[in-house]
Amino acid sequence: MKPVLTFFFDALKPESLQYMPFLNSFAHKRRMKSEFGHSVTCHPSMYSGVHPDKHLQWFVWKYDPVGTPFKWARVFKYLGLLDNLGSRYFLHKYTRQFREKNTAWFGVPLLVNLPLKYWSYFNVVEDRAWDEVGYLKEYPTVFDVLRGYNVEFEIVGMTKGAGSEFTQIGGHEFTEIRPWTYFFLGSIDSYSHHHRQDGPETIDRMRRLDQLVAAKYEAYSRRVSDFDVFVFSDHGHIPAEKRVDIHKVFRQHGQSLRRFIHLIESNYARFWFRNDKERATVEAILETLGEGFILTDEHFQRYHLEMPDNRYGDLIFYLDVPYLFTKTIWGFSRKQKSMHGYLPDYPDSDGVFLSRRALVEGPHVELVDVLPTLLDSLGLPIPDYVDGRVLWQEKASLYG
Ligand SMILES: [Zn+2]
């Protein structure tokens, strides 16, 4: 089995490779078409080889009044006066102490700007980390597949709280070479949120990470003579310096957002309706909001987002570039200079795929191609259900 070395960058744009001479030296480069969503959408696609309409993970939160960890919050339907930011922080912490066995990247996050009376409608989608057994309920991840074949792999850099790439990856030594070595570099995303991807702080970080990756590549090459190597990222980054206060928009129409079951994230507003009147009211207000649009069946089809039920919303409003909502479930968007999760059609939404081995023709590859490409390198069969393809050029004939 020829070993494989991969480097993953969270949120690296093709345009940024100019600051990364080592990565830029890879002979074969493609733009990575992202999924229409955030990390919680992208990671399952790249680890499972199927799109969201199969792996069913689109947002961090879903409507799930049965499985919610916040059943205790139902009392706040009658105790509205006690609901403020302070009590939300306190009760969230309290819930985590006895409920949280959640080992996912996001865990059970605080719903900052959501009235407590609505917390008990919602549950997190991820209950464990990407590489843990059974991360996805419907499909095996690449980690599950390799475990099934008893193929060993090593993941470096994905441990939360274990330090930056320079600590985790920089400190890694190749004592024993496993069939697959996976280096995970997560910081470009947060740098880009705070400074934009083209900001000097981020560019400096990219230069240093490029040197780190070059050093690891050299060290690996000294140990292994024949191996496949590829580098990929999940999405790009788009400057977003304008804001929309959706609470204000509702007030301007004589309504209060708090009357509706909703979740507001950086560039999505999702609603669940108790009756047709609620739907009509919300639709009428959102249709006046020219900064975005309500997603239709056509969008769900085009971006592989059709879901079996209303877990992600009876209505999903998408806020377009360069806008962000203020007062979201994550906070107040004050420090966000740049965002992702916009339409994958924007070139700025693209990530990268880089290889030393020739790739199939075409400007784009997809996140779902990562799993079949890796399995093929390891000499393992590609499961029939996989939506992606093997990206090595000599395998192009497989797909006509
Ligand atoms: Zn991000």
Side-chain angles (χ1 to χ4, degrees), residues 220-243:
Y220 191 89
S221 307
R222 282 197 291 275
R223 293 287 308 275
V224 188
S225 53
D226 186 25
F227 62 94
D228 272 334
V229 56
F230 61 90
V231 179
F232 62 106
S233 68
D234 50 350
H235 53 73
H237 244 273
I238 303 188
E241 309 212 0
K242 294 194 174 168
R243 298 289 184 267

Side-chain angles (χ1 to χ4, degrees), residues 39 189 193 235 237 340:
S39 305
D189 185 52
H193 282 296
H235 53 73
H237 244 273
H340 47 93

Side-chain angles (χ1 to χ4, degrees), residues 184-201:
F184 183 96
L185 295 98
S187 70
I188 295 298
D189 185 52
S190 50
Y191 271 74
S192 303
H193 282 296
H194 290 121
H195 308 292
R196 297 174 40 142
Q197 186 140 135
D198 57 1
E201 298 88 344

